[in-house]
């Protein structure tokens, strides 16, 4: 096989270049490609999101199509190595080149000069195969050596350049309908040749400027999305409960706030748990405001519920103010895990969703006061404008013992020594009341030497004498069978009629119910 034939086969193979990605992506208006394949120049062109021809039909009959530069892309005289059929020219994202460097007077471009319109490559690098169609109903008002002008009924003039001049489907003066075929994408350039592409202009009256070549890029983006359908993954901002980045959001060090961001699903796929809110601008950076409920340092959460196309999805989560005082801006975007970032599908942009926290020294959260309160395994309070935290093994009612069990009743003694941690009058060292059946000082014995663990509460279930309080006549005293005197439920040895003063035991409080407490 000779070298010439090999060269022909290589060109033929290259001409069948297929799109590298199926998901439509486009750079913002005003982003120009750079010489030699350098980084895109954001904002170097006209930054203008206006759709100057709303309702326009995309000027190619079928997709995919690729809006980009003919001079800065591979094969261009200022592009990286490669030919015009390089697959890099047939992949997303799109790039604006309305204000790309040219000598034409362009009052809407930053430099006053520019390209006039937008270059668009067809689905493949094949000459005279892909149809160009009318963007709006109107009349063919001019046919040049490499151009066809259609003056639309809407007053705009639509220009189509570099079609195959020998195979046009219309004639001058002919009426055309929206989407009617005009010709085939080629490389005609008035007797010479250019790359295989369509150069498309919109000429119209722009308020305050006059009749000029208007920016075409966003009209092409809108009409192309109509042609190929919505992308699988795209979102539109709706609302958020966190303060906007333009408003103050001042928090104390470590303060936690709960909120949500609402986004509408403008793509074609339902959002599930695989749809995540992630950190962006830069993507996947660990956030300083990560809350305890986040999926990780660079992944926040999924939607609260599955969200079909057209519905609003809510993403609820917490943010925690960093401990060090300062300003902390954080951008977020949606990502379909393992598939695509939504910003690569037309929105939202990586720098749109933002929460901006300012950590303020000497400030405590509104829910933390000057008194100690329990917070999980810690106790906290506001002291001198700062949050003071103390680790506890146990915490109750703001009290904690850092090295041992809790002191539930707040009497200064924890459960390791307190025989009743529900009663603040009972603890080691407390005054023990004689004969009441309660071990107030937790020594295991009631005052007066009675074993608190074995003490009987007294005769009868009512802790006093039997239901008959004594002999008839109301006499409060009675003789025991052995001759002992019973006084209020206490008995003492002696003979009947002996003086009261000889009693050696004082009976205290037997009219009230005795209680038995044990450790």
């Amino acid at each position: 096989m000779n070298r010439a034939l090999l060269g022909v086969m290589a060109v033929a193979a290259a001409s069948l270049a297929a799109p590298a990605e199926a998901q439509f992506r486009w750079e913002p208006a005003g982003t120009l490609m750079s010489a030699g394949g350098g980084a895109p120049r954001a904002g170097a062109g006209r930054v203008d999101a206006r759709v100057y021809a709303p309702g326009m039909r995309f000027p190619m009959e079928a997709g995919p199509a690729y809006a980009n530069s003919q001079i800065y892309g591979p094969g261009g005289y200022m592009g990286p190595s490669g030919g015009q059929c390089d697959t890099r020219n047939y992949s997303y994202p799109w790039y604006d080149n309305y204000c790309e460097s040219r000598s034409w007077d362009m009052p809407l471009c930053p430099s006053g000069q520019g390209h006039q319109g937008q270059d668009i490559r067809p689905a493949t690098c094949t000459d005279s195969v892909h149809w160009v169609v009318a963007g709006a109903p109107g009349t063919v008002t001019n046919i040049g050596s490499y151009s066809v002008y259609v003056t639309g009924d809407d007053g705009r003039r639509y220009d189509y350049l570099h079609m195959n001049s020998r195979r046009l489907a219309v004639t001058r003066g002919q009426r055309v309908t929206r989407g009617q075929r005009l010709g085939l994408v080629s490389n005609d350039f008035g007797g010479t040749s250019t790359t295989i592409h369509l150069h498309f202009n919109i000429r119209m009256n722009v308020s305050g400027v006059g009749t000029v070549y208007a920016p075409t890029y966003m009209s092409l983006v809108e009409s192309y999305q109509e042609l190929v359908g919505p992308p699988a993954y795209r979102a539109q901002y709706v609302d958020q409960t966190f303060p906007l980045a333009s408003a103050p959001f001042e928090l104390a060090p470590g303060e936690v706030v709960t909120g949500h961001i609402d986004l509408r699903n403008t793509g074609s796929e339902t959002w599930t748990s695989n749809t995540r809110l992630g950190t962006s601008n830069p993507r996947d950076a660990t956030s300083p405001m990560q809350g305890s409920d986040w999926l990780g340092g660079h992944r926040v959460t999924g939607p609260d519920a599955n969200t079909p196309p057209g519905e609003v999805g809510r993403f609820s989560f917490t943010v925690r103010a960093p401990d060090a005082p300062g300003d902390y801006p954080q951008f977020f975007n949606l990502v379909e895990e393992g598939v695509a970032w939504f910003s690569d599908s037309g929105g939202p942009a990586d720098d749109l969703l933002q929460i901006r926290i300012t950590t303020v020294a000497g400030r405590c959260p509104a829910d933390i006061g000057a008194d100690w309160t329990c917070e999980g395994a810690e106790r906290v309070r506001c002291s001198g404008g700062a949050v003071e935290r103390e680790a506890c093994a146990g915490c109750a009612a703001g009290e904690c013992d850092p090295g041992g069990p809790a002191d539930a009743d707040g009497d200064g003694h924890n459960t390791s020594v307190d025989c009743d941690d529900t009663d603040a009058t009972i603890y080691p060292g407390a005054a023990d009341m004689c004969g009441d059946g309660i071990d107030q000082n937790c020594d295991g014995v009631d005052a007066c030497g009675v074993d608190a663990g074995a003490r009987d509460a007294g005769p009868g279930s009512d802790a006093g004498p039997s239901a008959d309080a004594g002999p008839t006549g109301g006499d409060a005293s009675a003789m025991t069978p052995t001759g002992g005197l019973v006084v209020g439920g206490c008995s003492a040895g002696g003979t009947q009629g002996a003086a009261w003063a000889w009693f050696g035991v004082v009976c205290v409080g037997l009219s009230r119910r005795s209680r038995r407490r044990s450790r």
Side-chain angles (χ1 to χ4, degrees), residues 261-295:
I261 295 177
D262 289 343
L263 300 165
R264 187 178 301 279
N265 184 349
T266 56
S268 62
E269 295 293 325
T270 295
W271 297 347
T272 66
S273 59
N274 196 55
T275 308
R276 310 279 179 77
L277 190 68
T279 59
S280 64
N281 202 35
R283 294 174 179 174
D284 292 331
T286 298
S287 175
M289 61 180 69
Q290 177 184 352
S292 60
D293 58 344
W294 287 29
L295 299 173

Side-chain angles (χ1 to χ4, degrees), residues 38-323:
R41 294 173 289 156
R46 180 177 177 83
V47 180
D48 188 346
R50 175 182 170 184
V51 175
Y52 282 82
M56 181 187 81
R57 206 283 189 191
F58 189 69
M60 288 189 185
E61 188 173 59
Y66 305 96
N68 51 40
S69 175
Q70 306 301 304
I71 64 171
Y72 290 118
Y77 74 91
M78 295 184 69
S81 61
Q84 67 163 313
C85 296
D86 192 297
T87 56
R88 288 172 291 178
N89 289 329
Y90 292 83
S91 64
Y92 301 125
W94 280 14
Y95 291 94
D96 188 0
N97 71 345
Y98 167 74
C99 289
E100 202 170 65
S101 180
R102 298 291 194 281
S103 59
W104 303 104
D105 290 337
M106 296 285 290
L108 295 180
C109 288
S111 67
Q113 293 184 320
H115 183 214
Q116 296 183 336
Q118 177 70 45
D119 290 338
I120 313 168
R121 300 179 197 261
T124 64
C125 186
T126 308
D127 187 15
S128 301
V129 168
H130 305 285
W131 282 101
V132 176
V133 297
T139 302
V140 178
T141 51
N142 184 70
I143 294 179
S145 60
Y146 62 93
S147 61
V148 173
Y149 296 167
V150 175
T151 300
D153 296 343
D154 56 15
R156 301 176 180 87
R157 195 186 79 190
Y158 300 89
D159 300 351
Y160 308 84
L161 280 60
H162 310 307
M163 291 188 294
N164 187 329
S165 59
R166 299 173 301 282
R167 297 178 60 183
L168 295 178
V170 292
T171 58
R172 184 175 180 176
Q174 181 178 338
R175 287 280 304 168
V176 294
T177 58
R178 182 180 185 271
Q180 183 174 333
R181 288 178 171 180
L182 304 178
L184 297 165
V185 179
S186 187
N187 58 0
D188 279 8
F189 198 19
T192 59
S193 63
T194 181
T195 54
I196 297 170
H197 73 284
L198 171 69
H199 175 104
F200 177 73
N201 298 331
I202 301 175
R203 189 169 176 82
M204 59 181 285
N205 182 270
V206 175
S207 178
V209 182
T211 300
V212 294
Y213 290 101
T216 60
Y217 189 67
M218 293 307 299
S219 298
L220 290 169
V221 168
E222 182 181 76
S223 60
Y224 186 69
Q225 288 179 333
E226 178 188 356
L227 176 67
V228 300
Y233 302 105
R234 185 177 61 182
Q236 182 181 52
Y237 174 81
V238 176
D239 193 20
Q240 68 185 54
T241 55
F242 298 105
L244 298 175
S246 59
F249 189 20
E250 296 181 346
L251 300 178
E255 186 171 0
V256 175
V257 175
T258 300
H260 63 256
I261 295 177
D262 289 343
L263 300 165
R264 187 178 301 279
N265 184 349
T266 56
S268 62
E269 295 293 325
T270 295
W271 297 347
T272 66
S273 59
N274 196 55
T275 308
R276 310 279 179 77
L277 190 68
T279 59
S280 64
N281 202 35
R283 294 174 179 174
D284 292 331
T286 298
S287 175
M289 61 180 69
Q290 177 184 352
S292 60
D293 58 344
W294 287 29
L295 299 173
H298 64 284
R299 289 289 184 273
V300 185
T301 185
D304 292 3
N306 288 354
T307 308
E311 298 297 318
V312 174
R314 174 161 293 179
F315 296 80
S316 302
F317 56 99
T318 63
V319 293
R320 181 185 185 278
D323 293 329

